[in-house]
Every structure is written in structure tokens, then in C-alpha cells.
Amino acid sequence: MRDENCIFCKIIAGEIPARTIYEDEDFKVILDANPASRGHALILPKEHAANLYEIRDDLLAKAAMLAKKLAVHMTGVLACDGFNILQNNGEIAGQTVFHFHIHLVPRYKGMKNDDMLNWTHEKFTAEEQDSICQQLQAGAESLS
Ligand code: 5GP
Ligand code: ZN
């Protein structure tokens, strides 16, 4: 269920703070602390699984459906022009946190990260991140 050394398990348990935009029985969705774009969010299953190979099929299916709902919701709130849905497995593939997660990366025309396989980070102040989080929370309850 939980890995004591896992940072995302600690975020899910509320032991490490994170800007949560959506939560239900199975998932917590947070803003990425080092966003590649405005509104970059992560879908975290509450049950610990290291990667795609380990996650339960039913949770994977639910995560995919939640990604779709959130992409629609976030496009409405953020007025982004497109979306990258990314999911890394293993260090060689760029995975740094070994608790399955799906990246939701809103894309904007003219944004600096044209190549999402080689992205750098954009800087937002804590106030800007708080504001983005509040915008995304509004209306997200209805997604469950
Ligand atoms: P990965 O490289 O494993 O696919 O993605 C891990 C993501 O988690 C990175 O984009 C990183 O910025 C984000 N991340 C790592 N630690 C934290 C944290 O403590 N809080 C939040 N909100 N995001 C984190
Ligand atoms: Zn975990």
C-alpha cells in the first residue's frame, strides 16, 4: 500500500505539503514543484506502485480516464492550446520518483519548451503557483 521512503506516499498522507488540485478515493492530483509549464500537474495513485509495470490494471484504467477529465477541465481553466501526457518508467527514461505518476503538461503557443523530451523548468513564484492551484481546484470536485 505504502512505501515508507517514498516522497509521493508522504505527500498522499499529508506529511509533505503539496498544492492539491483534485483528490478522490484513489488519486491525489498535485501541481509539480518544478513545472515545465503553467499548470503542470501530476496524477498520483494513492496506492504505492513503483511504475507502469507494477500498477494495478484497474487503477491504470481509472488514471487514464482521470487524465482525460483533467485535460478537459484544465484546458477550460488555463486556456492552454494543447497537452502532453507523459509517464516515465525507470531512471534511464527520466523517472526520478519511483511512485507511478502521470504528468499533465499544458502547452501554450509560443512557450519555451518546444521539445518536451528535453524540457527545462519554468519559474513561478509561490504566489503564482497558489493562484494556479486555486484556479484549478475550482470546479474540479465535480470530476469524480
Ligand atoms: P519523474 O521524473 O519521476 O517522471 O517526475 C517526477 C516529478 O515530480 C518531477 O517533475 C518533479 O518536479 C516532481 N516532484 C519531485 N518531488 C516533488 C515534491 O516534493 N512535490 C511536488 N509537488 N513535485 C515533486
Ligand atoms: Zn509511494
Side-chain angles (χ1 to χ4, degrees):
M1 271 315 257
R2 173 184 167 143
D3 178 333
E4 289 306 322
N5 299 314
C6 171
I7 192 162
F8 285 173
C9 282
K10 289 180 182 158
I11 287 175
I12 288 157
E15 293 160 15
I16 293 178
R19 293 179 174 87
T20 302
I21 65 174
Y22 173 81
E23 185 163 9
D24 65 23
E25 182 183 10
D26 296 313
F27 300 100
K28 192 163 193 168
V29 182
I30 62 171
L31 285 189
D32 196 295
N34 277 299
S37 70
R38 179 182 179 80
H40 180 174
L42 303 171
I43 298 179
L44 312 180
K46 291 187 172 176
E47 183 176 305
H48 180 90
N51 49 40
L52 183 69
Y53 315 116
E54 291 188 7
I55 189 171
R56 277 178 18 212
D57 285 355
D58 60 321
L59 280 178
L60 180 62
K62 283 184 181 175
M65 288 187 279
L66 181 57
K68 178 180 178 180
K69 285 184 187 178
L70 283 162
V72 172
H73 168 66
M74 292 169 78
T75 297
V77 174
L78 299 167
C80 54
D81 300 301
F83 247 95
N84 288 106
I85 308 284
L86 303 169
Q87 197 273 314
N88 300 326
N89 296 282
E91 206 172 338
I92 189 66
Q95 188 175 10
T96 57
V97 179
F98 296 91
H99 177 128
F100 176 97
H101 52 280
I102 295 176
H103 292 261
L104 302 170
V105 188
R107 301 295 301 272
Y108 303 88
K109 284 182 184 149
M111 72 181 270
K112 69 175 185 175
N113 285 313
D114 287 338
D115 178 2
M116 292 311 293
L117 292 178
N118 190 22
W119 77 48
T120 56
H121 297 291
E122 280 199 58
K123 289 270 174 269
F124 295 100
T125 64
E127 290 73 23
E128 284 170 332
Q129 282 285 80
D130 283 342
S131 161
I132 295 164
C133 186
Q134 281 160 15
Q135 287 174 51
L136 290 172
Q137 280 170 343
E141 320 82 53
S142 64
L143 298 178
S144 47

mmCIF file of all heavy atoms in Angstrom, residues 40-63:
data_model
loop_
_atom_site.group_PDB
_atom_site.id
_atom_site.type_symbol
_atom_site.label_atom_id
_atom_site.label_comp_id
_atom_site.label_asym_id
_atom_site.label_seq_id
_atom_site.Cartn_x
_atom_site.Cartn_y
_atom_site.Cartn_z
ATOM 1 N N HIS A 40 1.384 22.594 -14.836
ATOM 2 C CA HIS A 40 1.941 21.219 -14.891
ATOM 3 C C HIS A 40 1.541 20.467 -13.617
ATOM 4 O O HIS A 40 1.877 20.866 -12.508
ATOM 5 C CB HIS A 40 3.464 21.327 -15.017
ATOM 6 C CG HIS A 40 4.197 20.019 -15.076
ATOM 7 N ND1 HIS A 40 5.551 19.954 -15.307
ATOM 8 C CD2 HIS A 40 3.803 18.726 -14.940
ATOM 9 C CE1 HIS A 40 5.956 18.695 -15.327
ATOM 10 N NE2 HIS A 40 4.911 17.930 -15.079
ATOM 11 N N ALA A 41 0.801 19.379 -13.810
ATOM 12 C CA ALA A 41 0.251 18.636 -12.671
ATOM 13 C C ALA A 41 0.638 17.163 -12.766
ATOM 14 O O ALA A 41 1.060 16.669 -13.821
ATOM 15 C CB ALA A 41 -1.265 18.784 -12.638
ATOM 16 N N LEU A 42 0.498 16.469 -11.630
ATOM 17 C CA LEU A 42 0.844 15.052 -11.548
ATOM 18 C C LEU A 42 -0.329 14.281 -10.967
ATOM 19 O O LEU A 42 -0.850 14.656 -9.906
ATOM 20 C CB LEU A 42 2.053 14.849 -10.616
ATOM 21 C CG LEU A 42 3.339 15.608 -10.956
ATOM 22 C CD1 LEU A 42 4.346 15.471 -9.800
ATOM 23 C CD2 LEU A 42 3.953 15.098 -12.254
ATOM 24 N N ILE A 43 -0.739 13.223 -11.640
ATOM 25 C CA ILE A 43 -1.755 12.315 -11.090
ATOM 26 C C ILE A 43 -1.034 11.249 -10.293
ATOM 27 O O ILE A 43 -0.226 10.487 -10.846
ATOM 28 C CB ILE A 43 -2.567 11.648 -12.213
ATOM 29 C CG1 ILE A 43 -3.328 12.692 -13.032
ATOM 30 C CG2 ILE A 43 -3.529 10.605 -11.633
ATOM 31 C CD1 ILE A 43 -4.138 12.098 -14.189
ATOM 32 N N LEU A 44 -1.326 11.183 -8.988
ATOM 33 C CA LEU A 44 -0.685 10.188 -8.121
ATOM 34 C C LEU A 44 -1.724 9.178 -7.644
ATOM 35 O O LEU A 44 -2.670 9.560 -6.945
ATOM 36 C CB LEU A 44 -0.095 10.855 -6.866
ATOM 37 C CG LEU A 44 0.765 12.111 -7.044
ATOM 38 C CD1 LEU A 44 1.249 12.595 -5.679
ATOM 39 C CD2 LEU A 44 1.934 11.846 -7.968
ATOM 40 N N PRO A 45 -1.593 7.905 -7.981
ATOM 41 C CA PRO A 45 -2.464 6.904 -7.354
ATOM 42 C C PRO A 45 -2.118 6.811 -5.865
ATOM 43 O O PRO A 45 -0.941 6.896 -5.509
ATOM 44 C CB PRO A 45 -2.112 5.589 -8.060
ATOM 45 C CG PRO A 45 -1.054 5.905 -9.040
ATOM 46 C CD PRO A 45 -0.611 7.317 -8.872
ATOM 47 N N LYS A 46 -3.131 6.671 -5.019
ATOM 48 C CA LYS A 46 -2.856 6.634 -3.573
ATOM 49 C C LYS A 46 -2.143 5.357 -3.161
ATOM 50 O O LYS A 46 -1.395 5.333 -2.191
ATOM 51 C CB LYS A 46 -4.165 6.810 -2.793
ATOM 52 C CG LYS A 46 -4.712 8.225 -2.941
ATOM 53 C CD LYS A 46 -5.904 8.492 -2.047
ATOM 54 C CE LYS A 46 -6.250 9.970 -2.120
ATOM 55 N NZ LYS A 46 -7.458 10.283 -1.340
ATOM 56 N N GLU A 47 -2.410 4.294 -3.898
ATOM 57 C CA GLU A 47 -1.741 3.023 -3.585
ATOM 58 C C GLU A 47 -0.359 3.031 -4.231
ATOM 59 O O GLU A 47 -0.239 3.277 -5.430
ATOM 60 C CB GLU A 47 -2.599 1.884 -4.148
ATOM 61 C CG GLU A 47 -2.061 0.509 -3.827
ATOM 62 C CD GLU A 47 -3.016 -0.577 -4.333
ATOM 63 O OE1 GLU A 47 -4.207 -0.550 -3.969
ATOM 64 O OE2 GLU A 47 -2.550 -1.438 -5.103
ATOM 65 N N HIS A 48 0.666 2.751 -3.453
ATOM 66 C CA HIS A 48 2.026 2.803 -3.998
ATOM 67 C C HIS A 48 2.258 1.695 -5.021
ATOM 68 O O HIS A 48 2.023 0.524 -4.766
ATOM 69 C CB HIS A 48 3.073 2.669 -2.879
ATOM 70 C CG HIS A 48 4.483 2.714 -3.396
ATOM 71 N ND1 HIS A 48 5.190 3.880 -3.527
ATOM 72 C CD2 HIS A 48 5.296 1.734 -3.868
ATOM 73 C CE1 HIS A 48 6.376 3.631 -4.046
ATOM 74 N NE2 HIS A 48 6.476 2.325 -4.256
ATOM 75 N N ALA A 49 2.738 2.107 -6.197
ATOM 76 C CA ALA A 49 3.267 1.179 -7.195
ATOM 77 C C ALA A 49 4.420 1.928 -7.832
ATOM 78 O O ALA A 49 4.314 3.129 -8.094
ATOM 79 C CB ALA A 49 2.213 0.842 -8.244
ATOM 80 N N ALA A 50 5.539 1.280 -8.043
ATOM 81 C CA ALA A 50 6.740 1.989 -8.478
ATOM 82 C C ALA A 50 6.597 2.557 -9.883
ATOM 83 O O ALA A 50 7.112 3.639 -10.176
ATOM 84 C CB ALA A 50 7.950 1.067 -8.404
ATOM 85 N N ASN A 51 5.884 1.843 -10.741
ATOM 86 C CA ASN A 51 5.893 2.223 -12.166
ATOM 87 C C ASN A 51 4.740 1.527 -12.894
ATOM 88 O O ASN A 51 3.898 0.857 -12.283
ATOM 89 C CB ASN A 51 7.239 1.849 -12.794
ATOM 90 C CG ASN A 51 7.622 0.419 -12.475
ATOM 91 O OD1 ASN A 51 6.761 -0.470 -12.480
ATOM 92 N ND2 ASN A 51 8.883 0.181 -12.167
ATOM 93 N N LEU A 52 4.753 1.692 -14.207
ATOM 94 C CA LEU A 52 3.688 1.123 -15.049
ATOM 95 C C LEU A 52 3.599 -0.396 -14.924
ATOM 96 O O LEU A 52 2.519 -0.978 -15.010
ATOM 97 C CB LEU A 52 3.965 1.513 -16.510
ATOM 98 C CG LEU A 52 2.934 1.086 -17.546
ATOM 99 C CD1 LEU A 52 1.630 1.851 -17.362
ATOM 100 C CD2 LEU A 52 3.463 1.337 -18.967
ATOM 101 N N TYR A 53 4.752 -1.022 -14.719
ATOM 102 C CA TYR A 53 4.776 -2.484 -14.656
ATOM 103 C C TYR A 53 4.073 -2.998 -13.395
ATOM 104 O O TYR A 53 3.570 -4.103 -13.360
ATOM 105 C CB TYR A 53 6.215 -3.013 -14.665
ATOM 106 C CG TYR A 53 7.079 -2.335 -15.695
ATOM 107 C CD1 TYR A 53 8.172 -1.563 -15.317
ATOM 108 C CD2 TYR A 53 6.779 -2.443 -17.061
ATOM 109 C CE1 TYR A 53 8.958 -0.923 -16.265
ATOM 110 C CE2 TYR A 53 7.557 -1.804 -18.009
ATOM 111 C CZ TYR A 53 8.638 -1.044 -17.613
ATOM 112 O OH TYR A 53 9.400 -0.406 -18.544
ATOM 113 N N GLU A 54 4.071 -2.157 -12.348
ATOM 114 C CA GLU A 54 3.549 -2.627 -11.053
ATOM 115 C C GLU A 54 2.130 -2.163 -10.749
ATOM 116 O O GLU A 54 1.481 -2.727 -9.868
ATOM 117 C CB GLU A 54 4.474 -2.152 -9.917
ATOM 118 C CG GLU A 54 5.819 -2.841 -9.943
ATOM 119 C CD GLU A 54 6.672 -2.527 -8.723
ATOM 120 O OE1 GLU A 54 6.181 -1.868 -7.773
ATOM 121 O OE2 GLU A 54 7.834 -2.942 -8.735
ATOM 122 N N ILE A 55 1.669 -1.128 -11.433
ATOM 123 C CA ILE A 55 0.352 -0.587 -11.059
ATOM 124 C C ILE A 55 -0.761 -1.571 -11.436
ATOM 125 O O ILE A 55 -0.686 -2.253 -12.456
ATOM 126 C CB ILE A 55 0.111 0.800 -11.715
ATOM 127 C CG1 ILE A 55 -1.146 1.450 -11.141
ATOM 128 C CG2 ILE A 55 0.060 0.706 -13.227
ATOM 129 C CD1 ILE A 55 -1.336 2.904 -11.562
ATOM 130 N N ARG A 56 -1.779 -1.623 -10.573
ATOM 131 C CA ARG A 56 -2.937 -2.486 -10.851
ATOM 132 C C ARG A 56 -3.656 -2.011 -12.100
ATOM 133 O O ARG A 56 -3.793 -0.800 -12.316
ATOM 134 C CB ARG A 56 -3.910 -2.428 -9.663
ATOM 135 C CG ARG A 56 -3.540 -3.361 -8.537
ATOM 136 C CD ARG A 56 -4.497 -3.260 -7.347
ATOM 137 N NE ARG A 56 -5.780 -2.627 -7.624
ATOM 138 C CZ ARG A 56 -6.459 -1.914 -6.727
ATOM 139 N NH1 ARG A 56 -5.975 -1.715 -5.502
ATOM 140 N NH2 ARG A 56 -7.625 -1.392 -7.027
ATOM 141 N N ASP A 57 -4.126 -2.946 -12.908
ATOM 142 C CA ASP A 57 -4.784 -2.603 -14.175
ATOM 143 C C ASP A 57 -6.002 -1.707 -13.967
ATOM 144 O O ASP A 57 -6.238 -0.782 -14.748
ATOM 145 C CB ASP A 57 -5.229 -3.876 -14.915
ATOM 146 C CG ASP A 57 -4.057 -4.600 -15.556
ATOM 147 O OD1 ASP A 57 -2.926 -4.075 -15.503
ATOM 148 O OD2 ASP A 57 -4.275 -5.689 -16.110
ATOM 149 N N ASP A 58 -6.777 -1.997 -12.922
ATOM 150 C CA ASP A 58 -7.993 -1.192 -12.727
ATOM 151 C C ASP A 58 -7.635 0.250 -12.372
ATOM 152 O O ASP A 58 -8.296 1.197 -12.813
ATOM 153 C CB ASP A 58 -8.913 -1.820 -11.674
ATOM 154 C CG ASP A 58 -8.258 -1.940 -10.312
ATOM 155 O OD1 ASP A 58 -7.055 -2.263 -10.242
ATOM 156 O OD2 ASP A 58 -8.935 -1.702 -9.306
ATOM 157 N N LEU A 59 -6.547 0.427 -11.618
ATOM 158 C CA LEU A 59 -6.129 1.797 -11.276
ATOM 159 C C LEU A 59 -5.553 2.509 -12.492
ATOM 160 O O LEU A 59 -5.754 3.708 -12.680
ATOM 161 C CB LEU A 59 -5.079 1.764 -10.151
ATOM 162 C CG LEU A 59 -5.623 1.579 -8.739
ATOM 163 C CD1 LEU A 59 -4.487 1.527 -7.740
ATOM 164 C CD2 LEU A 59 -6.588 2.720 -8.375
ATOM 165 N N LEU A 60 -4.839 1.771 -13.319
ATOM 166 C CA LEU A 60 -4.287 2.359 -14.546
ATOM 167 C C LEU A 60 -5.412 2.856 -15.457
ATOM 168 O O LEU A 60 -5.348 3.965 -16.008
ATOM 169 C CB LEU A 60 -3.426 1.323 -15.270
ATOM 170 C CG LEU A 60 -2.784 1.779 -16.576
ATOM 171 C CD1 LEU A 60 -1.821 2.940 -16.332
ATOM 172 C CD2 LEU A 60 -2.053 0.617 -17.237
ATOM 173 N N ALA A 61 -6.442 2.051 -15.572
ATOM 174 C CA ALA A 61 -7.588 2.446 -16.412
ATOM 175 C C ALA A 61 -8.255 3.691 -15.836
ATOM 176 O O ALA A 61 -8.586 4.639 -16.564
ATOM 177 C CB ALA A 61 -8.582 1.287 -16.506
ATOM 178 N N LYS A 62 -8.432 3.707 -14.499
ATOM 179 C CA LYS A 62 -9.040 4.889 -13.863
ATOM 180 C C LYS A 62 -8.152 6.119 -14.036
ATOM 181 O O LYS A 62 -8.645 7.233 -14.234
ATOM 182 C CB LYS A 62 -9.252 4.643 -12.365
ATOM 183 C CG LYS A 62 -10.438 3.764 -12.030
ATOM 184 C CD LYS A 62 -10.586 3.690 -10.509
ATOM 185 C CE LYS A 62 -11.747 2.810 -10.103
ATOM 186 N NZ LYS A 62 -11.810 2.634 -8.633
ATOM 187 N N ALA A 63 -6.833 5.923 -13.949
ATOM 188 C CA ALA A 63 -5.895 7.050 -14.095
ATOM 189 C C ALA A 63 -6.003 7.644 -15.497
ATOM 190 O O ALA A 63 -5.967 8.868 -15.670
ATOM 191 C CB ALA A 63 -4.469 6.593 -13.806
#
